[in-house]
């Protein structure tokens, strides 16, 4: 008789974990896509109410764990990163709150938006270049060449460029997750890439189901804002039902990645594990400052929920204005992981 080869328990568990990752993620995507396709406007309101602030808190906590106590050779990199984040955030807020008054013509508005987009792209290019210099063997000049090309492109199609950022931003969470899996759970990569491939299939499914549907109702100011945010005023001829559903679907996955998947892969991102934060755990660190920052960020989540409950539309506008700060902050940490 032939001897039956037994699979070691640790290998069996690992295979089971990968299958669970794919099956659970795909199942969640399927449920989310079906629900969002049926009620895109309502889904947008609900997901932002529940998860927008929480995912910002989780991002802040993740960034704290990644920030070194001593910058060393990365001093220039982090200085440029922080300066750019602050400068671009202030510029964006100025355009957001003051760009629509009667003193601004359409030309001056488009020029200002194009200038902001160009500075943003060049800042990202400089970060790639600085990161390449740190790695020594890498060449950062291609990144700068791409940045200059993209900066020029922003002047020709400013509206489309800004809209592209709206749709690309949710995907950045999956780039973070991919880099983190490569570092801590490399054996999950194939399963993770399989899951990423299914996202494209779900978007194609949304297109097949919703592309011919009539546009969503914009009878209220809030509905109009949601539709415009998804590109309803830019992508003429495309069903706003599909646009809003696709954007909400991607944002939902973005929230799930930051709130669930990234802490699952990198335990240092679990909120209560303060020992994983160098700025807190090191004897030369700043534990009180870190604890205060985490407490304030948690309080802001509660304040955001309260604001949504009292005046959802106004709170949403304010949130999306200041949310640019977390969008910008993602790039330095993501580039640092490359």
């Amino acid at each position: 008789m032939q001897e039956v080869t037994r699979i070691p328990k640790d290998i069996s568990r690992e295979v089971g974990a990968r299958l669970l990752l794919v099956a659970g993620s795909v199942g969640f995507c399927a449920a989310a896509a079906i629900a969002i396709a049926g009620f895109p406007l309502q889904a947008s309101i609900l997901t932002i109410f529940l998860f927008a602030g929480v995912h910002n808190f989780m991002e802040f906590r993740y960034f704290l764990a990644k920030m070194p106590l001593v910058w060393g050779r990365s001093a220039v990199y982090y200085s440029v990163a922080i300066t750019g984040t602050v400068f671009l955030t202030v510029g964006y807020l100025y355009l957001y709150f003051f760009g629509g008054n009667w003193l601004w013509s359409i030309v001056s508005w488009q020029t200002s938006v194009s200038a902001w987009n160009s500075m943003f792209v060049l800042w990202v290019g400089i970060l790639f270049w600085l990161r390449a210099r740190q790695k020594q063997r890498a060449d950062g000049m291609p990144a700068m060449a791409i940045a200059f090309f993209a900066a020029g492109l922003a002047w020709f199609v400013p509206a489309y460029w800004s809209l592209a950022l709206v749709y690309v931003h949710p995907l950045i969470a999956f780039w973070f997750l991919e880099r983190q899996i490569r570092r801590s759970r490399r054996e999950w990569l194939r399963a993770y890439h399989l899951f990423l491939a299914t996202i494209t299939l779900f978007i194609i499914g949304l297109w097949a189901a919703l592309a011919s549907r009539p546009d969503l109702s914009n009878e209220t100011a809030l509905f109009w804002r949601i539709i415009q945010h998804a590109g309803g005023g830019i992508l003429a001829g495309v069903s706003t039902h599909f646009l809003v559903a696709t954007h909400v679907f991607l944002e939902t996955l973005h929230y799930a990645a930051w709130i669930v998947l990234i802490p699952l892969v990198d335990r240092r991102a679990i909120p209560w594990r303060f020992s994983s934060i160098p700025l807190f755990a090191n004897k030369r660190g700043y534990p009180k400052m870190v604890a205060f920052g985490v407490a304030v960020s948690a309080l802001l989540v509660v304040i955001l929920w309260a604001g949504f409950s009292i005046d959802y539309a106004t709170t949403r506008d304010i949130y999306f204005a200041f949310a640019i700060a977390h969008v910008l902050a993602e790039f330095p940490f993501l580039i640092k992981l490359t």
Side-chain angles (χ1 to χ4, degrees):
M1 295 180 62
Q2 292 183 342
E3 184 179 353
V4 178
T5 303
R6 294 186 177 181
I7 301 176
K9 289 185 178 181
D10 55 343
I11 297 179
S12 178
R13 290 174 182 173
E14 188 59 43
V15 172
R18 297 179 207 174
L19 292 175
L20 183 61
L21 171 67
V22 175
S25 300
V26 172
F28 174 80
C29 287
I34 293 172
I36 292 169
F39 307 95
L41 292 171
Q42 294 81 354
S44 174
I45 294 171
L46 184 62
T47 53
I48 291 174
F49 178 90
L50 292 176
F51 305 121
V54 177
H55 107 279
N56 289 141
F57 171 81
M58 296 299 291
E59 279 195 52
F60 176 69
R61 175 61 183 79
Y62 177 84
F63 295 154
L64 278 178
K66 294 298 181 182
M67 179 62 74
L69 178 63
V70 179
W71 290 355
R73 294 194 308 118
S74 299
V76 175
Y77 179 88
Y78 283 116
S79 298
V80 172
I82 294 173
T83 302
T85 300
V86 173
F87 177 79
L88 289 169
T89 298
V90 172
Y92 183 89
L93 291 175
Y94 179 79
L95 291 175
Y96 191 94
F97 288 110
F98 302 104
N101 62 47
W102 61 274
L103 294 174
W104 290 64
S105 65
I106 295 178
V107 174
S108 61
W109 163 253
Q110 291 179 340
T111 301
S112 299
V113 171
S114 298
W116 189 93
N117 288 334
S118 297
M119 288 186 289
F120 162 68
V121 173
L122 292 175
W123 172 68
V124 172
I126 291 172
L127 290 177
F128 270 109
W129 178 69
L130 290 173
R131 179 58 177 155
R133 288 186 60 189
Q134 288 181 328
K135 297 169 70 174
Q136 294 181 349
R137 295 181 181 179
D139 183 7
M141 293 312 296
M144 288 302 301
I146 294 173
F148 276 109
F149 174 78
L153 190 64
W155 287 86
F156 289 97
V157 284
Y160 289 99
W161 181 261
S162 299
L163 182 62
L165 183 60
V166 170
Y167 280 91
V168 169
H169 168 248
L171 302 177
I172 292 178
F174 293 102
W175 195 358
F176 266 105
L177 187 55
E178 200 270 349
R179 302 310 302 178
Q180 196 59 58
I181 289 175
R182 282 187 180 274
R183 291 192 169 200
S184 55
R185 294 186 179 271
R186 198 173 184 86
E187 65 277 6
W188 286 17
L189 267 179
R190 292 184 64 183
Y192 178 66
H193 290 160
L194 177 61
F195 159 65
L196 289 181
T198 65
I199 295 178
T200 304
L201 297 179
F202 281 112
I203 294 176
I204 294 174
L206 288 173
W207 170 263
L210 305 176
S212 60
R213 296 283 292 272
D215 288 340
L216 295 171
S217 170
N218 57 1
E219 58 187 8
T220 68
L222 176 58
F223 287 176
W224 182 84
R225 287 185 178 93
I226 295 173
I227 293 170
Q228 293 300 306
H229 188 68
I234 299 174
L235 299 176
V238 181
S239 170
T240 58
H241 198 128
F242 167 72
L243 290 176
V244 173
T246 301
H247 181 249
V248 176
F249 176 70
L250 293 176
E251 282 288 353
T252 301
L253 298 187
H254 178 81
Y255 295 155
W258 277 112
I259 297 172
V260 179
L261 294 179
I262 290 178
L264 181 65
V265 173
D266 185 2
R267 298 302 178 89
R268 292 175 298 177
I270 296 176
W272 54 85
R273 292 200 172 188
F274 280 73
S275 60
S276 64
I277 303 176
L279 293 172
F280 180 90
N282 194 288
K283 62 181 181 180
R284 294 184 299 166
Y286 309 93
K288 293 182 179 179
M289 185 180 298
V290 171
F292 178 76
V294 173
V296 169
S297 62
L299 179 61
L300 288 175
V301 176
V302 177
I303 293 174
L304 194 61
W305 279 332
F308 281 139
S309 301
I310 297 171
D311 187 344
Y312 184 92
T314 302
T315 304
R316 182 184 183 277
D317 288 345
I318 296 173
Y319 168 76
F320 275 111
F322 285 91
I324 191 63
H326 95 275
V327 175
L328 295 170
E330 289 175 351
F331 285 92
F333 288 98
L334 179 59
I335 294 170
K336 194 67 175 175
L337 287 174
T338 58

